[in-house]
Amino acid sequence: MSSNGSSSRATGLRPWGREDLGRFARDYFSDRRIIVVSNREPYVHQWVGGRVECLPPASGMAAAIGPILRAAGGTWVAHGSGSADRRTVDRNDHVAVPPDNPSYVLRRVWLTKEQEAGYYYGLSNEGLWPLCHVAFTRPVFRQEDWRRYREVNEVFARAVLEETGGERSLVFIQDYHLALLPRLLKERDPNLLVAQFWHIPWPNREVFRVFPWSEELLDGLLGNDLIGFHLRYHCQNFLETLDQGLECRVDQERSEAVRGGKATAVRCFPISIDFESQSTEAASPAVTGEMDRWRRELGLSGGEVVGIGLDRLDYTKGIPEKLKAVDRFLEQNPSYVGRMVFVQVVVPSRSRIPTYNALSEEVTRLAEEVNWRWSTDSWRPVALLRNYEGSVRMMALHRLADFCLVTPLHDGMNLVAKEFVASRFDEDGVLILSNFAGSARDLEEALLVNPFSVEETAGAILKALDMLPEERRKRMQRLRETVSYRNVYWWAGKVLRSLAAREIPAQVERWETTLP
Ligand code: F6P
């Protein structure tokens, strides 16, 4: 039984929702503007066939932070990356979002092609991304990328300071693209309250040692009042990296680092989703309608078993390993030949980077190989789809699935696992989850596997398909209970409460009794 869901239930508290978070933010931060900063924007305007379309990106980070700003209001500063983004902002580069019910302001930051190449593709995604994910892809560090990274962090600092306008503000920075930003902000306005959440793992100190500009990067991060990671293990790694790599005092007991007399708290907050709204939407007629469309498109007649995988096309996600596991499963269980369909959706990502292109080719080749090996005149085991078609289509796929494979080689959290659980209001379906996804710590009732072992994953598929309905139901009930309590409002509440506690410790205790 998951310790998380059960302990929350034992307290008799109900899960936090949007209103609780909104009230909390207004109670403690009413005198501060709330500014969120990230590289990826929450809404992208694109030209599609002569028309402007507005779509959310395929980003767990963006999906998780959105509900917070909708609850608390404020401004989100992010890179304007869409082809029609410039067309849709006002003269302050502002656009009100979400488009159907505007509740906060998106401030777009413009980058040149050279800046995007060096800062985003280069330093962030060829350097820091493989460095922090131990997925055996060698990081690349170029002096020119580092120069662009510093330059772009400066661009973001100017944009944030324009938004705060010298007023008391709380700035909540997302992720590894903006590690220098906290220091830049604090140097210019020490009254800012600055927090950052690092959405990817932090590696152990020996791995991090190879980063050529570690002192400047770590110093940048210690500009924060608070830095959050998904897992305690990542916090530990971060504190040990600081201990070894920077002149500062690390206090393991208090989980903080002090540099130049100023303390940065280091805390773990496992991120989550808006469980309630996703679960409700999954039950909508629109989703049910899409299930029928999927059945038609996949040629399902009713007798098949269906497995699914939904991933950004990234080498950390273990997509080739999944396809190999499906192959091994069919080899070991010939009775499923002709009646198991595995639908793998891959969302193209970072396609200017050679390793991503190579992965794309490998995934296509493997899917073709598995299909070539097993397909019959009327059936193919793997449907490889290369489009993100929006949340309604994805929820419909969740609901169709007998099992869902979320098997990254290494991942900070992997919210797809929690999204699958939220969609299964029917309390059915089996989640097969990598031990190396942060979400494995929360979702103990999933079938946990080592994705590097094709045998283990193939074995888990069989276990999922053999599982008795009663056991499936029990596991899914418990998973749903956990995610319903440990939802994104709980996550944001924990982050904000930690920040508020630094300023007004006594008052914060009142809220302690309502946050599960
Ligand atoms: O969660 C990690 C993360 O890098 C987010 O910051 C990001 O939005 C998401 O993965 C998708 O990556 P990208 O923004 O590079 O497409």
Side-chain angles (χ1 to χ4, degrees):
M1 168 63 152
S2 162
S3 48
N4 311 321
S6 58
S7 63
S8 301
R9 193 185 44 183
T11 60
L13 296 171
R14 62 174 175 78
W16 255 35
R18 183 178 295 185
E19 292 71 31
D20 301 290
L21 182 67
R23 266 203 308 280
F24 182 81
R26 281 191 294 279
D27 219 8
Y28 287 99
F29 299 107
S30 57
D31 63 335
R32 288 191 183 266
R33 290 172 167 222
I34 298 185
I35 315 266
V36 164
V37 199
S38 68
N39 171 68
R40 183 62 64 201
E41 55 183 342
Y43 292 93
V44 188
H45 286 92
Q46 298 279 20
W47 285 110
V48 183
R51 278 187 328 121
V52 175
E53 275 187 10
C54 179
L55 287 173
S59 158
M61 180 282 299
I65 304 296
I68 298 165
L69 273 189
R70 288 205 292 275
T75 301
W76 188 328
V77 180
H79 172 214
S81 58
S83 54
D85 274 358
R86 284 179 193 267
R87 271 292 289 268
T88 41
V89 292
D90 66 15
R91 61 196 172 85
N92 296 316
D93 297 325
H94 286 171
V95 55
V97 289
D100 49 347
N101 180 20
S103 40
Y104 64 94
V105 170
L106 170 59
R107 155 75 193 265
R108 285 181 169 138
V109 168
W110 312 113
L111 301 179
T112 64
K113 287 246 185 315
E114 293 73 26
Q115 286 174 331
E116 197 180 344
Y119 139 85
Y120 172 76
Y121 288 105
L123 200 280
S124 297
N125 287 318
E126 284 189 273
L128 286 171
W129 180 271
L131 179 73
C132 290
H133 289 90
V134 182
F136 309 102
T137 296
R138 200 168 166 165
V140 179
F141 305 117
R142 302 180 195 92
Q143 186 68 40
E144 172 61 10
D145 291 347
W146 177 241
R147 190 173 75 76
R148 293 292 184 192
Y149 187 86
R150 298 172 80 203
E151 189 178 295
V152 171
N153 272 249
E154 180 62 45
V155 171
F156 271 91
R158 283 200 297 269
V160 170
L161 293 168
E162 271 169 32
E163 294 303 322
T164 62
E167 287 184 30
R168 276 169 70 79
S169 304
L170 156 60
V171 183
F172 187 22
I173 303 166
Q174 310 305 313
D175 243 332
Y176 56 99
H177 313 85
L178 300 167
L180 305 178
L181 182 58
R183 175 68 69 210
L184 294 173
L185 292 175
K186 271 293 171 110
E187 271 170 3
R188 287 165 212 183
D189 185 352
N191 291 324
L192 292 175
L193 196 54
V194 183
Q196 184 156 18
F197 193 78
W198 195 264
H199 289 258
I200 62 177
W202 189 278
N204 73 45
R205 64 182 179 183
E206 288 312 313
V207 170
F208 195 80
R209 270 179 75 189
V210 306
F211 188 71
W213 309 281
S214 59
E215 217 176 302
E216 194 175 336
L217 187 115
L218 294 172
D219 176 63
L221 289 171
L222 290 195
N224 282 302
D225 295 290
L226 169 74
I227 178 160
F229 296 92
H230 293 297
L231 307 181
R232 180 157 303 286
Y233 173 59
H234 300 155
C235 294
Q236 215 76 48
N237 282 347
F238 180 64
L239 288 169
E240 284 170 13
T241 304
L242 287 171
D243 210 12
Q244 177 184 272
L246 195 71
E247 213 165 291
C248 64
R249 185 168 55 78
V250 170
D251 187 333
Q252 294 281 358
E253 200 62 29
R254 299 167 67 105
S255 196
E256 65 177 31
V258 183
R259 179 161 163 91
K262 199 201 133 287
T264 301
V266 180
R267 300 280 183 274
C268 76
F269 310 102
I271 202 167
S272 194
I273 58 168
D274 187 343
F275 176 85
E276 199 51 48
S277 89
Q278 294 200 22
S279 185
T280 307
E281 190 179 354
S284 68
V287 173
T288 310
E290 289 302 330
M291 288 171 75
D292 287 338
R293 195 169 137 207
W294 277 118
R295 285 192 192 96
R296 282 195 304 279
E297 288 171 2
L298 296 168
L300 302 177
S301 57
E304 300 85 356
V305 295
V306 178
I308 60 164
L310 314 171
D311 301 281
R312 212 163 39 73
L313 190 51
D314 194 296
Y315 52 83
T316 59
K317 304 291 181 188
I319 304 165
E321 286 75 6
K322 274 196 230 193
L323 296 173
K324 287 179 193 165
V326 168
D327 185 52
R328 187 61 51 86
F329 170 80
L330 291 170
E331 194 173 273
Q332 292 172 341
N333 302 282
S335 66
Y336 282 97
V337 171
R339 64 186 192 96
M340 188 192 78
V341 177
F342 182 68
V343 185
Q344 174 65 53
V345 178
V346 290
V347 185
S349 168
R350 305 174 189 172
S351 41
R352 287 191 61 246
I353 299 175
T355 40
Y356 284 74
N357 282 323
L359 174 71
S360 178
E361 282 165 24
E362 186 187 0
V363 167
T364 308
R365 186 179 49 75
L366 276 170
E368 278 168 7
E369 254 175 53
V370 179
N371 281 338
W372 181 82
R373 192 162 174 212
W374 299 107
S375 59
T376 65
D377 289 348
S378 56
W379 166 84
R380 281 184 327 152
V382 176
L384 181 66
L385 309 171
R386 289 181 171 274
N387 259 335
Y388 176 71
E389 299 175 40
S391 62
V392 171
R393 286 280 279 169
M394 295 305 112
M395 284 175 180
L397 210 48
H398 289 152
R399 282 184 53 195
L400 269 187
D402 294 287
F403 66 92
C404 176
L405 280 181
V406 183
T407 47
L409 306 181
H410 198 189
D411 215 324
M413 176 53 61
N414 206 319
L415 290 177
V416 171
K418 296 187 179 181
E419 285 166 0
F420 175 66
V421 168
S423 292
R424 297 312 297 254
F425 63 90
D426 61 345
E427 300 177 343
D428 206 349
V430 179
L431 175 63
I432 300 175
L433 180 59
S434 164
N435 262 315
F436 310 126
S439 50
R441 312 286 167 109
D442 278 345
L443 304 178
E444 293 165 14
E445 291 81 11
L447 295 182
L448 296 178
V449 294
N450 170 1
F452 291 89
S453 163
V454 167
E455 270 66 30
E456 216 175 297
T457 309
I461 295 176
L462 182 63
K463 192 167 171 194
L465 294 176
D466 281 351
M467 198 182 281
L468 294 175
E470 185 50 23
E471 185 179 348
R472 292 205 301 267
R473 196 174 60 79
K474 270 201 194 127
R475 284 179 184 259
M476 187 51 80
Q477 275 176 347
R478 288 170 183 169
L479 289 169
R480 286 176 62 78
E481 184 178 36
T482 298
V483 186
S484 80
Y485 276 95
R486 300 194 127 206
N487 63 28
V488 74
Y489 300 107
W490 168 87
W491 175 81
K494 292 269 182 195
V495 175
L496 291 186
R497 198 197 53 189
S498 289
L499 269 174
R502 296 177 73 79
E503 296 210 309
I504 31 177
Q507 287 182 47
V508 167
E509 278 164 23
R510 185 158 55 83
W511 282 90
E512 203 69 32
T513 54
T514 68
L515 189 58

